[in-house]
mmCIF file of all heavy atoms in Angstrom:
data_model
loop_
_atom_site.group_PDB
_atom_site.id
_atom_site.type_symbol
_atom_site.label_atom_id
_atom_site.label_comp_id
_atom_site.label_asym_id
_atom_site.label_seq_id
_atom_site.Cartn_x
_atom_site.Cartn_y
_atom_site.Cartn_z
ATOM 1 N N PHE N 262 -6.207 -4.416 -6.129
ATOM 2 C CA PHE N 262 -5.023 -5.297 -6.053
ATOM 3 C C PHE N 262 -4.027 -4.803 -7.081
ATOM 4 O O PHE N 262 -4.341 -4.650 -8.265
ATOM 5 C CB PHE N 262 -5.413 -6.744 -6.353
ATOM 6 C CG PHE N 262 -4.248 -7.691 -6.401
ATOM 7 C CD1 PHE N 262 -3.730 -8.233 -5.220
ATOM 8 C CD2 PHE N 262 -3.652 -8.032 -7.601
ATOM 9 C CE1 PHE N 262 -2.646 -9.105 -5.248
ATOM 10 C CE2 PHE N 262 -2.565 -8.893 -7.639
ATOM 11 C CZ PHE N 262 -2.068 -9.441 -6.460
ATOM 12 N N VAL N 263 -2.788 -4.566 -6.624
ATOM 13 C CA VAL N 263 -1.698 -4.121 -7.518
ATOM 14 C C VAL N 263 -0.477 -5.030 -7.271
ATOM 15 O O VAL N 263 -0.108 -5.264 -6.119
ATOM 16 C CB VAL N 263 -1.317 -2.658 -7.253
ATOM 17 C CG1 VAL N 263 -0.110 -2.268 -8.121
ATOM 18 C CG2 VAL N 263 -2.491 -1.741 -7.537
ATOM 19 N N LYS N 264 0.083 -5.505 -8.365
ATOM 20 C CA LYS N 264 1.305 -6.321 -8.289
ATOM 21 C C LYS N 264 2.314 -5.773 -9.278
ATOM 22 O O LYS N 264 1.991 -5.535 -10.452
ATOM 23 C CB LYS N 264 0.985 -7.782 -8.633
ATOM 24 C CG LYS N 264 2.191 -8.713 -8.592
ATOM 25 C CD LYS N 264 2.576 -9.095 -7.167
ATOM 26 C CE LYS N 264 3.637 -10.159 -7.128
ATOM 27 N NZ LYS N 264 3.961 -10.611 -5.748
ATOM 28 N N VAL N 265 3.525 -5.500 -8.792
ATOM 29 C CA VAL N 265 4.575 -4.956 -9.644
ATOM 30 C C VAL N 265 5.807 -5.847 -9.572
ATOM 31 O O VAL N 265 6.242 -6.205 -8.454
ATOM 32 C CB VAL N 265 4.953 -3.521 -9.225
ATOM 33 C CG1 VAL N 265 5.996 -2.944 -10.149
ATOM 34 C CG2 VAL N 265 3.706 -2.608 -9.226
ATOM 35 N N TRP N 266 6.350 -6.197 -10.721
ATOM 36 C CA TRP N 266 7.578 -6.974 -10.819
ATOM 37 C C TRP N 266 8.666 -6.065 -11.371
ATOM 38 O O TRP N 266 8.602 -5.640 -12.524
ATOM 39 C CB TRP N 266 7.409 -8.176 -11.729
ATOM 40 C CG TRP N 266 6.473 -9.216 -11.218
ATOM 41 C CD1 TRP N 266 6.781 -10.305 -10.450
ATOM 42 C CD2 TRP N 266 5.057 -9.289 -11.465
ATOM 43 N NE1 TRP N 266 5.643 -11.041 -10.197
ATOM 44 C CE2 TRP N 266 4.568 -10.440 -10.811
ATOM 45 C CE3 TRP N 266 4.148 -8.473 -12.180
ATOM 46 C CZ2 TRP N 266 3.231 -10.816 -10.844
ATOM 47 C CZ3 TRP N 266 2.812 -8.863 -12.207
ATOM 48 C CH2 TRP N 266 2.373 -9.992 -11.547
ATOM 49 N N MET N 267 9.664 -5.740 -10.545
ATOM 50 C CA MET N 267 10.751 -4.862 -10.940
ATOM 51 C C MET N 267 11.940 -5.684 -11.353
ATOM 52 O O MET N 267 12.430 -6.530 -10.576
ATOM 53 C CB MET N 267 11.109 -3.966 -9.752
ATOM 54 C CG MET N 267 11.995 -2.798 -10.114
ATOM 55 S SD MET N 267 11.044 -1.505 -10.910
ATOM 56 C CE MET N 267 12.234 -0.169 -10.821
ATOM 57 N N ASP N 268 12.446 -5.481 -12.586
ATOM 58 C CA ASP N 268 13.597 -6.227 -13.076
ATOM 59 C C ASP N 268 14.883 -5.756 -12.391
ATOM 60 O O ASP N 268 14.957 -4.661 -11.849
ATOM 61 C CB ASP N 268 13.722 -6.060 -14.577
ATOM 62 C CG ASP N 268 12.602 -6.717 -15.341
ATOM 63 O OD1 ASP N 268 11.884 -7.544 -14.755
ATOM 64 O OD2 ASP N 268 12.434 -6.387 -16.545
ATOM 65 N N SER N 269 15.904 -6.564 -12.485
ATOM 66 C CA SER N 269 17.238 -6.161 -12.037
ATOM 67 C C SER N 269 17.850 -5.225 -13.085
ATOM 68 O O SER N 269 17.432 -5.232 -14.263
ATOM 69 C CB SER N 269 18.121 -7.374 -11.856
ATOM 70 O OG SER N 269 18.278 -8.069 -13.099
ATOM 71 N N TYR N 270 18.820 -4.422 -12.657
ATOM 72 C CA TYR N 270 19.523 -3.587 -13.631
ATOM 73 C C TYR N 270 20.893 -3.215 -13.088
ATOM 74 O O TYR N 270 21.152 -3.301 -11.886
ATOM 75 C CB TYR N 270 18.726 -2.331 -13.974
ATOM 76 C CG TYR N 270 18.725 -1.233 -12.948
ATOM 77 C CD1 TYR N 270 19.582 -0.152 -13.073
ATOM 78 C CD2 TYR N 270 17.874 -1.291 -11.853
ATOM 79 C CE1 TYR N 270 19.584 0.879 -12.136
ATOM 80 C CE2 TYR N 270 17.853 -0.270 -10.912
ATOM 81 C CZ TYR N 270 18.719 0.801 -11.055
ATOM 82 O OH TYR N 270 18.705 1.811 -10.124
ATOM 83 N N SER N 271 21.771 -2.810 -13.989
ATOM 84 C CA SER N 271 23.135 -2.425 -13.620
ATOM 85 C C SER N 271 23.440 -1.023 -14.081
ATOM 86 O O SER N 271 22.963 -0.589 -15.131
ATOM 87 C CB SER N 271 24.164 -3.395 -14.231
ATOM 88 O OG SER N 271 23.968 -4.734 -13.760
#
Side-chain angles (χ1 to χ4, degrees):
F262 176 84
V263 176
K264 180 77 173 184
V265 182
W266 293 269
M267 193 77 166
D268 292 345
S269 62
Y270 76 99
S271 298

